[in-house]
Amino acid sequence: MGEQSPHSGADGGVRLGRPIGQWDPHDLEVHPAGAATSTSADGARVAVRRTLPGYVPREHDRLLAEAVHDAAEGRSRAVVLVGASSTGKTRACWEAVQPLADHGWQLWHPFDPTRAQAALEGLHRVGAKTVVWLNEAQHYLGDSRTGEHVAAQLHDLLTRPERGPVLVLGTLWPEYAHQYFEVPNPGEPDPHSRTRELLAGRTITVPDTFSAQALEAAAALAEDGDQLLADALTRARDHGRLAQDLAGAPELLTRYHTATPPARGMLEAAMDARRLGVGLALPQAFLTDAATDYLSDHDYDLLAEDWAEQAYAELARPVHGKQAALRRANPRPPRRPPGSSAPSPESWPVTGTLYRLADYLEQHGRETRRLLCPPASFWQAAHTHLARSDDLANLAAAADARYRMQWAHHLWLKAANTGDARALLALARRRETAGDTDGAEAAYRQAAEAGSSQALLHLTLQREETGEPGAAEAFARQAADGGDTRPLLHLARKRYAAGHSVAADAAYRQAAKYGDTRALRDLARIREAADDGDSAESLARQAAEFGDTRALRDLAWMREAGGDRMKAEALAQLTLDASDCQVLLFLARRREESGDLNGAEAAYRQAAAAGDTEALCALTRIREKAGDRGEADRLARQAADAGDTRALVYLTRKRSEAGDEEGAEETCRIAAAAGDSHAPAYLAQVRAKKGRLADAESLAEQAADLGNTQALLDLARLRDVAGDLDGAETAYRRAFEAGESDALVFLAQMWGKARRWPDAEVVARQAADRGDNRAFVSVIQLRMEAGEDQGAELLAQQIGEPFALLNLAWMRQDVGDMEGAERLARCAAETGHAEALATLAYIRERRGDREGAEAFAVRAAEAGDLRGLLDVTRMREAAGDKEGAERFARLAADAGDPRALFALATSRMQSRPYDDFDIAYHRVLDEAGREPIVRPGGKAFMGKGPWWYGLEPDGTLSPPW
């Protein structure tokens, strides 16, 4: 599980890791960038040792350094750097931990026998002053079986002071971060909930490119003799991808593009495997068999007997930076002390020779091959040689998304045979959709036995609907035994809604026994509604004992609404004892709204006595309205002393509105002294509106000094509205200097509205020099609105701002100027903008240039925007070109978006005969009269027509299977 040193760990055992200074950064997966060289006596260049180029700090390094500083000061921190492959994430982590080396810190890199398993087994032993190194964190957090457990252990490690300080450092590609942060739809499983909570607020983005400032810093190091940086800058200065260049990306791409056909086929098979979800270690037998259909017939006929061996040898040769396009992978076997339990089959590496694709080529494949569906040999090889259930299930889902239904079915089936719960659930749903009730039932049961809570929920509700309450309860309890009480809760609510109160009560109580406080809350409300207040209160108290006071709050609200104020206050007191003042605040607000100020004030004072500053703010408001200014001041200061200055801001506003300038300034002064910026910002606006600009500026400056630079921007805008353009310009520039990036946008708009175009463009260029083109977009829009179309277009073309160009293009199209629209869209497309390419496809199709439309639609899709394909599909179908519509729909399906296919099928099924689908396949129509049904997930699914059986890997329709 990584190196260890003889120091005590958290559990008194051996401390994990070893001193930071004893690690070689390359052993921690920092990309090598070349070898240090010297000149021998005969003039030859001789490699001495691996070295790293000089390091150029960027903005993410500053944020990372703050986390390291916190850790050094005794506060546990975690940071995950998110960025594309070879952008310097791992090197940044290595540089960041160097200050800890002199303070006795260890570094632990869990990796043996697998990363996830090593982390899961070792995290509880991590001691203080340890850096937990989670490079490529998807291997720890994304594991379908252990990822959530690893996240939970990391959260425990970070939140238990007695175990700290520790520093958790990780790296992620953006697609993995997006996957973990994505919140599922209601009712869907949430496989990354703990990971999402762990990462929240703990990620830092690493840009793909070096900024101009960073490139200048690299150039300075190069001038000082750093040859690695000097060489890289000759290639990367223009595009800024310095880290990728140092990692050997150009030579890897060259190796790919110049590879022999067999070697290139293997690389493309590996790229497709990785982008569709296969793990890092790719079996040699899989790659060899998968590669064959990537070859043309000519290249296939020329294969030598040892073609595979030659291809592997070719790809194993390292490029600059010691990276190989495809290298041997050697997963470590699991090691256990004698007598320990045997590891699960999933923890063992795949048998046979394994290979790993270079990271940069993997990402290159994700970007350039997104439109391509792998050929038949790929799917056959996957079904034959892949054994890990995650690999099979991921490929099955990828085949399903591309409407390769036959391969999806067989891959799901093979994954299901390994006991994979996800595969079993998918098969159950597919069989249910196809009307195979018995097969679906068996698959749901198998999925449930494999631990699928979704399957158990389905079985629970199904049994309840078919009148088998005992079986329903058994499935719900099975889910609860596995930690998911949702089926019991759903069952209870369903029974209660149906009027089966006794059965509902039993299900609620079962859920409550498993610690589900939602069940206790529901039961408490039911009892209260049935006038059984004692039972309701008892249930609410039980929930509170589990740390959930919401049931007590619910009861208090119900009793207050029913007029039983004494019991409501008694319950509020119980929540107060649990440090929850919300019920008292609710009761106070209700009484205040009803005019019972005395009752409201009494409740607010109880909450205030418990330390609630919101209650103090409410009391301030009541006393101020009652004319008791002294008490209002006292309460506001008390709240401010507790860290809440809202009451002082309220008094400032109210006294200013009442014309009491002296009183407003006094409370503003007190608020500012307490660190509040809102009061002076408010008074600044009031003074500016009254024409007292000197006072306004002083107050805005005060607010800005307290961190509220928006006050300066507000002041500038007030001068702008008042027509004081010169004064507004000064204020806008002051706001910009204070950090308000919107200031230049507003300033450019001000000059544009005044038709002072040169001044507007000067400001817009200043903003653009800082990477913000919004000012230019505004100026272009204003010129269009002023009728200066030619000037607007010229400016848009000069700066190449894609959004502005596209806006102009759509405006041209709306008035029928398709030539002008295309000209502008082309300018936008020259920047590589995917939406511009999709727009060009649409325009070309409308102009009748079908070949051009197809080319642009494909380019847009390659850039990540499928709208061009979908638009052209729709337009071809509307024009009666059914064959063309199907071709584009299949292209979209190849890219993993079958919506166009489903849309065509749905529209065509409304007009028969089915022969109109595809005349070449009319013979396979066997049940033409079947109506459309709905696939799982709500997608329209074709009835038994020519598309019922899906597509072949080459995009043709599958025959019946």
Side-chain angles (χ1 to χ4, degrees):
M1 286 185 289
E3 299 292 334
Q4 298 178 345
S5 61
H7 299 283
S8 296
D11 59 357
V14 177
R15 182 179 174 188
L16 295 179
R18 64 182 188 225
I20 293 172
Q22 294 181 14
W23 282 95
D24 183 330
H26 300 99
D27 293 337
L28 296 173
E29 300 170 323
V30 175
H31 284 305
T37 60
S38 63
T39 304
S40 64
D42 59 2
R45 302 288 286 176
V46 180
V48 178
R49 60 181 176 83
R50 292 190 301 178
T51 188
L52 292 173
Y55 191 69
V56 179
R58 293 182 277 168
E59 175 61 18
H60 59 272
D61 294 287
R62 181 185 65 79
L63 301 174
L64 190 54
E66 292 176 1
V68 173
H69 178 267
D70 284 349
E73 293 294 316
R75 297 181 292 277
S76 292
R77 290 291 305 273
V79 174
V80 176
L81 297 185
V82 178
S85 172
S86 303
T87 51
K89 303 184 297 296
T90 312
R91 176 72 187 277
C93 291
W94 171 249
E95 296 294 332
V97 301
Q98 296 312 301
L100 301 176
D102 296 333
H103 298 282
W105 280 65
Q106 304 272 110
L107 187 149
W108 176 53
H109 180 206
F111 59 82
D112 178 19
T114 67
R115 300 188 193 211
Q117 194 168 349
L120 192 62
E121 295 178 359
L123 278 169
H124 71 283
R125 297 170 51 207
V126 170
K129 290 190 174 184
T130 299
V131 176
V132 180
W133 189 268
L134 304 181
N135 193 48
E136 296 190 4
Q138 68 270 16
H139 300 313
Y140 302 93
L141 302 175
D143 188 279
S144 63
R145 289 168 177 77
T146 60
E148 289 289 86
H149 298 294
V150 171
Q153 285 207 28
L154 287 168
H155 183 268
D156 179 76
L157 174 64
L158 292 165
T159 56
R160 289 177 57 187
E162 67 272 16
R163 297 191 62 186
V166 296
L167 176 63
V168 178
L169 293 181
T171 65
L172 272 178
W173 286 1
E175 52 262 44
Y176 291 115
H178 176 74
Q179 176 185 344
Y180 301 153
F181 277 116
E182 187 172 3
V183 178
N185 294 322
E188 292 183 355
D190 191 354
H192 304 298
S193 61
R194 289 184 173 178
T195 299
R196 186 164 58 251
E197 292 170 3
L198 176 71
L199 295 179
R202 294 187 170 115
T203 60
I204 297 174
T205 299
V206 177
D208 288 354
T209 59
F210 277 50
S211 66
Q213 183 179 2
L215 287 171
E216 287 303 316
L221 291 174
E223 291 174 4
D224 289 340
D226 192 315
Q227 191 59 45
L228 288 173
L229 280 175
D231 290 342
L233 284 168
T234 62
R235 299 180 295 269
R237 183 181 287 275
D238 290 339
H239 55 67
R241 296 179 179 271
L242 189 60
Q244 295 93 323
D245 190 283
L246 287 167
E251 292 188 41
L252 284 171
L253 285 178
T254 300
R255 176 66 51 84
Y256 167 53
H257 290 305
T258 60
T260 60
R264 185 183 177 94
M266 284 183 179
L267 285 179
E268 290 177 345
M271 289 176 180
D272 288 345
R274 287 295 293 138
R275 73 185 173 92
L276 298 185
V278 181
L280 283 172
L282 303 170
Q284 181 182 33
F286 160 72
L287 290 174
T288 303
D289 283 0
T292 54
D293 282 358
Y294 288 83
L295 303 175
S296 67
D297 290 341
H298 172 76
D299 291 332
Y300 186 82
D301 289 340
L302 294 178
L303 288 178
E305 185 174 347
D306 62 345
W307 68 270
E309 290 80 359
Q310 292 180 28
Y312 287 117
E314 174 186 342
L315 296 175
R317 291 197 298 272
V319 300
H320 176 75
K322 303 294 185 181
Q323 296 187 79
L326 193 68
R327 62 176 173 82
R328 286 279 296 270
N330 297 303
R332 298 175 182 268
R335 299 184 178 92
R336 296 291 182 281
S340 60
S341 59
S344 66
E346 282 294 323
S347 69
W348 287 83
V350 180
T351 57
T353 304
L354 303 173
Y355 284 86
R356 177 171 175 175
L357 180 67
D359 286 351
Y360 191 75
L361 287 182
E362 176 183 333
Q363 189 156 9
H364 179 73
R366 291 177 187 270
E367 295 171 354
T368 61
R369 299 183 61 78
R370 57 165 50 102
L371 286 187
L372 303 177
C373 179
S377 63
F378 174 92
W379 302 105
Q380 181 69 60
H383 187 266
T384 303
H385 297 294
L386 298 183
R388 292 183 68 250
S389 61
D390 280 353
D391 293 344
L392 293 165
N394 288 340
L395 285 182
D400 209 354
R402 287 156 180 78
Y403 204 49
R404 269 58 183 189
M405 305 299 290
Q406 188 170 8
W407 279 118
H409 172 78
H410 289 297
L411 289 165
W412 280 128
L413 194 60
K414 186 173 181 181
N417 289 337
T418 70
D420 184 87
R422 178 165 56 131
L424 288 163
L425 185 62
L427 280 177
R429 287 171 169 168
R430 292 167 71 86
R431 288 171 176 168
E432 185 177 33
T433 298
D436 180 7
T437 305
D438 293 338
E441 167 76 12
Y444 274 122
R445 282 181 171 274
Q446 287 180 283
E449 291 299 326
S452 170
S453 60
Q454 286 295 112
L456 286 167
L457 177 59
H458 171 88
L459 290 167
T460 298
L461 298 180
Q462 183 191 60
R463 289 297 186 272
E464 185 71 9
E465 289 174 0
T466 57
E468 301 173 75
E473 289 178 9
F475 284 125
R477 284 196 298 271
Q478 183 180 340
D481 288 338
D484 186 355
T485 57
R486 289 180 306 153
L488 274 172
L489 198 61
H490 278 288
L491 187 61
R493 289 172 176 172
K494 191 175 184 68
R495 289 177 174 178
Y496 181 73
H500 304 149
S501 57
V502 175
D505 185 271
Y508 274 130
R509 290 194 176 278
Q510 283 286 342
K513 286 181 180 179
Y514 285 98
D516 191 329
T517 58
R518 295 171 298 177
L520 291 169
R521 294 204 310 270
D522 280 5
L523 271 177
R525 286 194 295 267
I526 291 170
R527 292 288 185 273
E528 184 72 10
D531 292 329
D532 186 358
D534 292 341
S535 178
E537 190 169 324
S538 174
L539 290 162
R541 285 174 179 268
Q542 290 179 46
E545 289 172 2
F546 285 103
D548 187 348
T549 61
R550 286 174 290 180
L552 286 170
R553 276 190 254 165
D554 291 346
L555 291 188
W557 295 342
M558 292 173 73
R559 291 180 181 181
E560 176 77 8
D564 193 345
R565 299 179 62 175
M566 185 176 297
K567 287 187 176 180
E569 288 183 2
L571 287 170
Q573 192 61 47
L574 289 175
T575 62
L576 193 62
D577 293 341
S579 299
D580 184 348
C581 297
Q582 292 305 306
V583 177
L584 275 172
L585 292 174
F586 169 78
L587 295 178
R589 284 192 290 268
R590 280 189 62 93
R591 292 171 186 179
E592 187 177 3
E593 290 167 2
S594 66
D596 180 11
L597 295 183
N598 290 333
E601 188 166 347
Y604 280 133
R605 288 194 180 277
Q606 283 190 68
D612 189 275
T613 59
E614 185 175 345
L616 286 169
C617 294
L619 287 169
T620 300
R621 174 170 41 78
I622 291 174
R623 289 292 90 207
E624 180 73 7
K625 286 182 179 178
D628 188 357
R629 298 183 57 165
E631 179 65 3
D633 285 341
R634 188 190 69 79
L635 290 164
R637 293 189 186 194
Q638 184 180 342
D641 290 342
D644 190 339
T645 56
R646 289 178 298 168
L648 286 169
V649 176
Y650 169 80
L651 291 182
T652 301
R653 287 178 176 272
K654 283 299 177 184
R655 292 177 183 178
S656 176
E657 290 170 1
D660 181 6
E661 292 190 4
E662 184 177 346
E665 289 176 0
E666 174 63 15
T667 53
C668 178
R669 183 187 61 77
I670 298 170
D676 180 86
S677 63
H678 297 89
Y682 167 76
L683 278 189
Q685 291 189 49
V686 173
R687 298 292 182 266
K689 289 177 181 177
K690 292 183 177 181
R692 295 165 57 181
L693 294 178
D695 291 344
E697 286 180 359
S698 175
L699 287 161
E701 291 283 356
Q702 186 179 13
D705 290 341
L706 292 168
N708 187 354
T709 54
Q710 179 70 33
L712 293 171
L713 187 59
D714 290 341
L715 181 61
R717 297 182 70 182
L718 285 170
R719 288 191 161 187
D720 184 349
V721 172
D724 179 11
L725 301 189
D726 292 336
E729 179 181 15
T730 301
Y732 276 132
R733 293 196 177 280
R734 171 68 183 92
F736 178 76
E737 292 168 1
E740 286 293 327
S741 59
D742 288 344
L744 289 182
V745 178
F746 287 126
L747 179 56
Q749 290 175 346
M750 182 186 79
W751 293 136
K753 291 174 184 177
R755 303 295 188 264
R756 290 171 57 172
W757 304 118
D759 290 337
E761 290 178 17
V762 166
V763 174
R765 290 191 185 282
Q766 290 172 350
D769 289 343
R770 293 166 172 80
D772 188 348
N773 277 336
R774 292 177 301 160
F776 263 127
V777 174
S778 294
V779 173
I780 292 167
Q781 186 67 33
L782 287 169
R783 295 197 81 156
M784 287 290 293
E785 293 172 0
E788 298 190 10
D789 296 3
Q790 186 175 358
E793 290 185 15
L794 181 62
L795 182 58
Q797 291 171 9
Q798 286 176 349
I799 65 170
E801 215 300 315
F803 289 106
L805 289 163
L806 278 179
N807 284 337
L808 292 172
W810 283 109
M811 293 174 71
R812 284 273 175 262
Q813 184 175 252
D814 289 343
V815 298
D817 181 6
M818 302 304 292
E819 183 178 346
E822 181 172 339
R823 184 181 67 253
L824 290 161
R826 275 185 172 279
C827 291
E830 289 173 0
T831 68
H833 199 268
E835 184 181 347
L837 293 166
T839 301
L840 277 170
Y842 179 84
I843 293 172
R844 281 296 182 93
E845 186 72 16
R846 282 195 60 184
R847 299 187 72 186
D849 180 6
R850 295 191 162 192
E851 185 176 342
E854 181 170 348
F856 282 120
V858 171
R859 285 179 59 192
E862 289 173 342
D865 191 335
L866 295 178
R867 282 176 295 179
L869 291 175
L870 302 178
D871 284 343
V872 175
T873 298
R874 176 176 49 79
M875 295 167 76
R876 294 277 170 98
E877 180 76 0
D881 180 8
K882 296 183 179 296
E883 183 179 347
E886 288 183 20
R887 185 157 50 85
F888 280 99
R890 290 177 190 176
L891 278 174
D894 287 350
D897 188 344
R899 288 178 298 171
L901 277 174
F902 291 125
L904 286 183
T906 301
S907 65
R908 292 184 186 181
M909 273 192 291
Q910 295 173 1
S911 60
R912 292 174 175 76
Y914 281 117
D915 295 28
D916 290 342
F917 267 91
D918 188 322
I919 194 69
Y921 281 85
H922 72 276
R923 293 185 300 275
V924 304
L925 305 181
D926 55 350
E927 290 183 37
R930 180 175 294 187
E931 292 298 320
I933 55 179
V934 176
R935 296 186 67 201
K939 295 177 181 176
F941 190 79
M942 286 71 80
K944 275 287 187 73
W947 290 346
W948 171 263
Y949 300 101
L951 302 176
E952 291 293 291
D954 64 1
T956 60
L957 294 172
S958 289
W961 50 271

